[in-house]
């Protein structure tokens, strides 16, 4: 309950920047809460959104359009089904509908949608700092302490409970190895400095554990 109250305050604060009236703020927040409580979510929940927003706060000094990054964070996992290949596209579409209803300027809606779509492959252009902030905030969990990282890994496995053990291990290792093959996992100077080494250590440890099963 406290988490929801805190998140509503954040949602309200972000939308007040755009001059949205209180009734529409409350209505759309309720819709978002419902969306993030759909069955099958163990990691992609409101807690994840809360964490991403917190991480964005830590990176806000880099932002060009902070409220737009925050809006993208709210919507980037609003449609999520582990068996679907188009969650990001559907989340971007959902964002467009809600933000149009809230009378957010179209150019800013387009930017929000672009940021959401970039979370599919976690890639951003060198000059797209707002996308880089969202992606770093989204992937901050990779650098978590061992207990929190294990909770994250377990939650992802629960979301893919329909996948056999051998198939999951193979697919998960491929995902983790792709991150390790990158020149850098994190884009922003701060995250690269404080989180890169920890993230790489966690990914290598998970691959080792998966290989031991």
């Amino acid at each position: 309950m406290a988490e929801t109250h805190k998140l509503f305050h954040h949602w309200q604060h972000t939308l007040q920047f755009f001059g949205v009236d209180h009734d529409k703020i409350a209505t759309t927040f309720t819709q978002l809460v419902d969306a993030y409580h759909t069955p099958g979510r163990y990691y992609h929940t409101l807690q994840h959104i809360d964490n991403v927003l917190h991480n964005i706060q830590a990176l806000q000094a880099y932002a060009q359009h902070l409220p737009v990054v925050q809006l993208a964070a709210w919507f980037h996992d609003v449609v999520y089904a582990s068996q679907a290949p188009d969650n990001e596209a559907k989340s971007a579409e959902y964002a467009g509908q809600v933000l149009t209803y809230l009378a957010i300027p179209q150019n800013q809606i387009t930017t929000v949608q672009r940021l959401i779509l970039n979370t599919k492959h976690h890639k951003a252009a060198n000059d797209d700092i707002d996308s880089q902030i969202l992606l770093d905030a989204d992937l901050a969990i990779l650098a978590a302490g061992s207990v929190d990282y294990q909770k994250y890994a377990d939650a992802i496995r629960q979301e893919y409970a329909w996948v056999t053990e051998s198939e999951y291990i193979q697919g998960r290792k491929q995902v983790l190895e792709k991150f390790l093959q990158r020149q850098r996992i994190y884009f922003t100077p701060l995250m690269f400095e404080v989180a890169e080494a920890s993230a790489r250590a966690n990914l290598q440890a998970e691959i080792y554990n998966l290989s031991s099963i």
Side-chain angles (χ1 to χ4, degrees):
M1 195 70 177
E3 175 196 292
T4 306
H5 180 75
K6 181 177 75 169
L7 281 168
F8 177 73
H9 179 73
H10 195 295
W11 178 244
Q12 185 178 37
H13 181 76
T14 301
L15 288 182
Q16 282 174 345
F17 175 86
F18 297 99
V20 178
D21 74 68
H22 188 270
D23 286 347
K24 285 188 174 182
I25 290 173
T27 300
T28 50
F29 180 76
T30 300
Q31 292 169 349
L32 277 170
V33 170
D34 289 345
Y36 279 102
H37 279 97
T38 51
R41 292 176 183 261
Y42 297 91
Y43 175 68
H44 294 90
T45 62
L46 277 179
Q47 180 60 58
H48 171 57
I49 300 307
D50 188 28
N51 292 340
V52 172
L53 290 168
H54 177 76
N55 297 330
I56 288 170
Q57 257 346 87
L59 299 170
Q60 63 180 315
Y62 298 113
Q64 293 178 324
H65 306 289
L66 181 62
V68 170
V69 181
Q70 291 169 328
L71 286 176
W74 274 102
F75 287 100
H76 81 284
D77 285 327
V78 70
V79 177
Y80 180 78
S82 62
Q83 298 190 45
D86 57 351
N87 290 316
E88 294 82 8
K90 286 184 175 176
S91 293
E93 183 182 353
Y94 184 108
Q97 293 169 350
V98 173
L99 296 177
T100 298
Y101 166 74
L102 294 173
I104 306 299
Q106 183 56 50
N107 65 319
Q108 308 214 14
I109 294 176
T110 301
T111 302
V112 168
Q113 291 178 311
R114 176 172 56 76
L115 267 58
I116 293 169
L117 292 172
N118 283 346
T119 65
K120 184 174 181 69
H121 300 293
H122 284 95
K123 292 182 179 177
N126 290 335
D127 61 348
D128 189 0
I129 188 62
D130 286 343
S131 262
Q132 293 176 11
I133 291 168
L134 177 62
L135 297 181
D136 281 7
D138 191 29
L139 292 180
I141 186 63
L142 298 183
S146 57
V147 173
D148 286 338
Y149 185 89
Q150 190 58 52
K151 286 180 182 176
Y152 149 73
D154 291 345
I156 295 295
R157 181 64 182 108
Q158 283 181 281
E159 291 185 342
Y160 285 87
W162 53 276
V163 179
T164 65
E165 189 81 336
S166 60
E167 287 177 332
Y168 181 79
I169 290 171
Q170 181 183 3
R172 179 68 177 166
K173 284 169 69 175
Q174 285 177 349
V175 170
L176 302 176
E177 284 162 358
K178 279 184 180 177
F179 280 117
L180 286 174
Q181 287 162 8
R182 295 186 178 202
Q183 188 173 359
R184 53 193 289 169
I185 295 169
Y186 297 111
F187 295 96
T188 59
L190 178 61
M191 285 295 288
F192 183 72
E193 180 185 343
V194 305
E196 185 81 12
S198 298
R200 289 185 179 276
N202 282 334
L203 296 177
Q204 288 165 344
E206 187 180 352
I207 289 171
Y208 176 82
N209 291 337
L210 289 168
S211 300
S212 304
I213 295 174

